[in-house]
Amino acid sequence: MATDKIMVIGSSGQIGTELVMELRASFGNDNVVACDLKSSAQEVMESGPFETLDVLDKTKLLELIKKHHITQVYLLAAMLSATAEQHPMFAWKLNMESLFNVLELAKEGHIKKIYWPSSIAVFGPTTPRQNTPQYTIIEPSTVYGISKQAGERWCEWYFKKYGVDTRSLRYPGLIGWKSAPGGGTTDYAVHIFHEALKKNTYECFLSENTALPMMYMPDAIRATIEIMDAPAEKIKIRGGYNLGGISFSPKDIAAVVAQNCPGFTITYKPDFRQQIADSWPASIDDSEAKKDWGWKPQFDLIAMSEDMFLNLKKNSGKI
Ligand code: VAH
């Protein structure tokens, strides 16, 4: 079988950094082309091909797809929820035009399979908040959520109309130690670890009881590759599959952090991101993903926290 040649667009982002390295470990360094507007992490730049790309430049995108004989595209370039509320028009342009560029090139036969991330941000204040099902009221109240809802419908339309093989997950908030998050509402759950190690205290921009769906990055990366590797006949949902992992509040994660950092303190100073978080579910029902392609999360809050501290301390030379 011909080797898959993979392009990861957004390789400098929180997910892209880890996804490139995982894909290179599975498919071979030279078979995974990292692309972004700006240089990626050192390990990404040094382990395989990198191309500078503005994903809004469709001509350049096609040129690189042909140059590297790309068969699969992971499109991770996007503006996340908090930043999107401050730059709504560019957020819509970036999040939608990037998707149309990739979908159109797939329709024209230049790409065989597309991964495009949706988010639990598709849900809004009228959605049932606990154990939110795959099919329910979807009225997002954020620019980011509106772009994800629209993107889901376009992915499904291109699949039905042109047979474009789109795969998508509704990511919860993602937490990892290798790369910094950027412009999200769930970023506090990464910052808290760094601040605990640096200052043993953290001022949280969400209120203490704001429970949100979250996931440790290794689980999210594995889910992403598993859905892309699943046989097409197992993919029954071409918009975005609900993806569940852990549900916790700032108070919950602060208690777990304090077990690793004696004397750790947290204060709460909710900002504009509180309103975004309040519009999202607290927990997710991902039974469709489990049923259709065998999804199974591995990390709970304790295991995630232990692995985060172990790697952050190792990374900073503290152990
Ligand atoms: C954000 N991390 O905060 C993203 C994610 C569910 C949240 O989509 O915008």
Side-chain angles (χ1 to χ4, degrees), residues 14 80-82 119-121 144 171-174 183-187 280:
Q14 182 193 18
L80 298 185
S81 59
S119 163
I120 58 102
Y144 176 68
Y171 285 138
L174 300 183
T185 300
T186 57
D187 297 357
W280 289 347

Side-chain angles (χ1 to χ4, degrees), residues 138-185:
I138 294 193
E139 297 175 322
S141 55
T142 64
V143 171
Y144 176 68
I146 295 165
S147 77
K148 290 303 181 183
Q149 181 182 32
E152 287 192 1
R153 299 284 61 79
W154 279 112
C155 285
E156 194 171 64
W157 188 83
Y158 270 81
F159 171 71
K160 286 181 178 164
K161 185 94 173 169
Y162 304 116
V164 172
D165 188 349
T166 57
R167 317 277 176 113
S168 180
L169 298 170
R170 289 171 178 166
Y171 285 138
L174 300 183
I175 296 136
W177 57 271
K178 276 192 179 177
S179 53
T185 300

Side-chain angles (χ1 to χ4, degrees), residues 103-299:
L103 287 170
E104 280 291 297
L105 290 176
K107 180 188 100 177
E108 293 158 15
H110 300 294
I111 304 167
K112 287 207 184 73
K113 201 186 287 188
I114 297 170
Y115 177 77
W116 175 78
S118 184
S119 163
I120 58 102
V122 290
F123 299 115
T126 53
T127 304
R129 296 201 72 235
Q130 300 301 333
N131 215 24
T132 301
Q134 179 75 39
Y135 301 104
T136 183
I137 301 164
I138 294 193
E139 297 175 322
S141 55
T142 64
V143 171
Y144 176 68
I146 295 165
S147 77
K148 290 303 181 183
Q149 181 182 32
E152 287 192 1
R153 299 284 61 79
W154 279 112
C155 285
E156 194 171 64
W157 188 83
Y158 270 81
F159 171 71
K160 286 181 178 164
K161 185 94 173 169
Y162 304 116
V164 172
D165 188 349
T166 57
R167 317 277 176 113
S168 180
L169 298 170
R170 289 171 178 166
Y171 285 138
L174 300 183
I175 296 136
W177 57 271
K178 276 192 179 177
S179 53
T185 300
T186 57
D187 297 357
Y188 88 87
V190 178
H191 300 160
I192 191 169
F193 287 97
H194 293 273
E195 294 300 295
L197 288 173
K198 251 190 309 201
K199 300 186 283 190
N200 213 22
T201 187
Y202 177 59
E203 182 179 88
C204 184
F205 57 72
L206 295 182
S207 62
E208 62 180 321
N209 294 318
T210 309
L212 288 170
M214 299 282 194
M215 180 171 283
Y216 195 32
M217 187 64 81
D219 268 350
I221 297 296
R222 183 169 51 83
T224 306
I225 296 173
E226 283 179 6
I227 192 173
M228 278 292 267
D229 285 352
E233 60 273 13
K234 288 189 181 286
I235 307 301
K236 312 281 193 256
I237 296 170
R238 295 290 173 162
Y241 272 94
N242 275 11
L243 192 70
I246 324 166
S247 169
F248 60 77
S249 68
K251 188 177 174 186
D252 297 330
I253 192 170
V256 174
V257 166
Q259 287 169 8
N260 202 292
C261 302
F264 170 75
T265 58
I266 185 167
T267 54
Y268 300 96
K269 195 177 176 191
D271 66 14
F272 74 98
R273 288 167 285 195
Q274 184 64 46
Q275 194 182 357
I276 297 173
D278 288 343
S279 74
W280 289 347
S283 59
I284 294 290
D285 169 3
D286 57 3
S287 42
E288 301 292 324
K290 287 174 175 152
K291 175 169 58 73
D292 291 356
W293 46 275
W295 166 242
K296 193 171 175 352
Q298 286 171 4
F299 285 88

